[in-house]
Amino acid sequence: MTDPRLTPIAASLPSSVPFVGPEAQERARNSAFDARLGANESVFGPSPRVAEAMVQTDIWKYGDPENHELRQALAAHHQIKSANIMVGEGIDGLLGYIARLFVAPGDHVVTSLGAYPTFNYHVAGYGGTLETVPYTVDHEDPAALFAKAKETQAKLVYLANPDNPMGTWHDGETLKKALDDLPQGTLLVLDEAYIDSAPTGTAPDIGPDDPRVIRMRTFSKAYGMAGARVGYAIGAAPLIDAFNKVRNHFGMNRAAQAGALAALQDQAHLASVLEQIATARTRIDRIARDNGLTTLPSATNFVAIDCGRDGAFAKAVLDGLIARGIFARMPFAAPQNRCIRISCGTQNDLDAFAAALPHALADANGG
Amino acid sequence: MTDPRLTPIAASLPSSVPFVGPEAQERARNSAFDARLGANESVFGPSPRVAEAMVQTDIWKYGDPENHELRQALAAHHQIKSANIMVGEGIDGLLGYIARLFVAPGDHVVTSLGAYPTFNYHVAGYGGTLETVPYTVDHEDPAALFAKAKETQAKLVYLANPDNPMGTWHDGETLKKALDDLPQGTLLVLDEAYIDSAPTGTAPDIGPDDPRVIRMRTFSKAYGMAGARVGYAIGAAPLIDAFNKVRNHFGMNRAAQAGALAALQDQAHLASVLEQIATARTRIDRIARDNGLTTLPSATNFVAIDCGRDGAFAKAVLDGLIARGIFARMPFAAPQNRCIRISCGTQNDLDAFAAALPHALADANGG
């Protein structure tokens, strides 16, 4: 029963969840997963300094609505001004604010078919019309995205580099050149959630005050703080200030603010995590090959394994893994949904995955 | 410079902050406050179990988007169903979702003149038109609010019981009877942030499935977890489900979820905090009387002190307190702005306040 008092947009929206959480799946199967490899969390965890900083926080105090200390530290880290940085409740929260600022009913927004569903959720939530372009050889295609933006006079175009769910990436120079064809009036939302684990040169060399682009970064991936909800946007100062029109000013968790600051200050821990990610990527590739499968190159903390057939087959493999206690996910759209997506895990996690995969494949092959 | 790509509503909004945080004031005065008595935080802190639960949380994992365990525990605590409960990022976050669900440009919303600015911020942020009615003898006036809602065909009417910033309250029976005059088509947003410190019987005895009302509760006040951002709404199941249309599903901090659960399970700590609040209220009243001032009766964790003259005088007193290291706030609208608002503090906090007040009053009186 829809409440008759809802706005027309709200009434038209489904009560949907972009992703079902692993806890809900565990409740449904009445058993905990043995390996949590589905949400691209960092099982390697945050710096030990994060827990110290969080536990020392006076949680009875509201967080600083200006996120002053964290923004100052991020500005120093990136050698930009704090006026170019907006801290928010994860990239998800920031994407919601961006959609709210730019998307009114009838506005067009461009993304890749099968890219991040939560971005699409926010765009639809404000009445926007999504336009999609297919991946090109499992890469997001900047030229095609920007051409579609021009064709549809899009307000926003979304591009993740490195990409989720495929793990592929473009080098920064390629992206920077592609920007020449971004139409005037379109803002590029460049999701760099996975940039920390990407090769040097993947982040395009564009100034923070470039009004064409807003970049999204996070402490949820390589920094190991997904549960803390700390993301930030880098963009031109007037655009950054526009978040103050709509954001939940006191929305940041105070311990998360302190934890993110501590995480940023422990770059040695980040470096060690990046080594563990690299080791895990190699191991996942090895496990795939041991089972006659191939993987896509990855600049992220996960690897897409090509199951070699169609989406139904990959879904059967995925179901077989989940039935065996391995939480994983897969791309939504064809032909990328021939793959399953495995987050980098510990040696134990990947042992469990290696043990389960042959059985899941056998099931999918009809036993 | 306003970005020409913003939506018309976004372009029309100021980049404002409903409240300036104490940290910003400390940076401006280049000195920490001696007593933090301005944001109605609970200086008495949360249960010690909260820190234990938070530090044991795997912060590398996203929080459960269904908030299952916390909702189950809250349902048991209130003896209602979890389908009647929505957990969100503080009451502020939930009020934002409510405004988004119900308020489209041109829709009317009723509140008291001088009531919670963050609610007004959210309503304006979705293009709503605010209608206000004055306080009656420093109490919010349900009959006047509901009459104004009828007159303006309002989508929402906001009422805090107990009230902030005055600390006054109505008993539950009075509110329940007043609901008879709530017009059809208007939803009452009943903010019960301060209900834990109110006398028994302040919460109206209305069922969770009553479609006329949505109630807001929080762990930010008596439970001492303002920095964690955990609030919840109680309402009819279809209304609660509507939040799933627009909320940031993975927006809850995982440690905050665990901390709130631990806080709820330590009712003995809550009881001891309520005693400390009662003691502090009495002390604040005593300090006021020692300075020739009176206080308003309070059902909250703060006390409004009537400075006896106009808003300019109270503002001068407030400025004098702030200059002496006492963080406090005051009501925004006349005639309630003849008061200043002092949160319940520790003995040390209130010693500092007692020491500063005579000087602040002397300043305000022209030295």
Side-chain angles (χ1 to χ4, degrees), chain A residues 5, chain B residues 98 102 155-157 185-189 211-214 239:
Chain A
R5 299 166 293 193
Chain B
I98 281 279
F102 287 91
K155 283 283 197 78
L156 304 175
V157 57
T186 301
L187 178 67
L188 171 61
V189 180
R212 301 174 297 175
V213 184
I214 188 163
L239 174 56

Side-chain angles (χ1 to χ4, degrees), chain B residues 195-355:
Chain B
I195 199 72
D196 301 301
S197 51
T200 305
T202 304
D205 176 25
I206 45 179
D209 281 310
D210 190 324
R212 301 174 297 175
V213 184
I214 188 163
R215 308 166 85 136
M216 300 288 178
R217 301 286 182 99
T218 186
F219 286 89
S220 295
K221 302 302 176 187
Y223 283 103
M225 294 177 60
R229 315 315 299 127
V230 187
Y232 59 103
I234 300 173
L239 174 56
I240 290 301
D241 192 44
F243 283 84
N244 288 317
K245 295 167 172 278
V246 298
R247 72 188 180 98
N248 189 3
H249 293 271
F250 285 86
M252 288 298 296
N253 180 296
R254 189 177 182 95
Q257 292 172 324
L261 187 60
L264 187 69
Q265 288 165 347
D266 192 351
Q267 292 293 313
H269 178 82
L270 179 66
S272 85
V273 167
L274 297 181
E275 282 178 27
Q276 291 171 285
I277 287 173
T279 300
R281 287 196 299 229
T282 303
R283 175 92 195 275
I284 294 169
D285 177 65
R286 174 65 181 269
I287 294 167
R289 285 190 289 120
D290 287 349
N291 287 273
L293 308 177
T294 59
T295 62
L296 275 64
S298 168
T300 64
N301 71 345
F302 62 87
V303 176
I305 297 179
D306 187 337
C307 293
R309 292 167 56 178
D310 64 2
F313 180 75
K315 176 69 163 55
V317 176
L318 185 74
D319 288 346
L321 290 172
I322 287 171
R324 288 174 178 81
I326 311 295
F327 169 54
R329 287 191 176 129
M330 63 182 288
F332 293 97
Q336 281 67 46
N337 67 356
R338 72 189 190 283
C339 299
I340 58 173
R341 196 193 68 178
I342 305 296
S343 303
C344 290
T346 62
Q347 192 165 323
N348 281 348
D349 292 331
L350 296 183
D351 287 349
F353 172 62

Side-chain angles (χ1 to χ4, degrees), chain A residues 237-284:
Chain A
L239 174 56
I240 290 301
D241 192 44
F243 283 83
N244 287 318
K245 295 167 173 279
V246 298
R247 72 189 179 97
N248 190 3
H249 293 271
F250 284 85
M252 288 298 296
N253 179 297
R254 188 177 183 95
Q257 292 172 324
L261 187 61
L264 187 69
Q265 288 165 346
D266 191 351
Q267 292 293 313
H269 178 81
L270 179 66
S272 86
V273 167
L274 297 181
E275 282 177 27
Q276 290 171 282
I277 287 173
T279 300
R281 288 197 298 227
T282 302
R283 174 94 195 276
I284 294 169

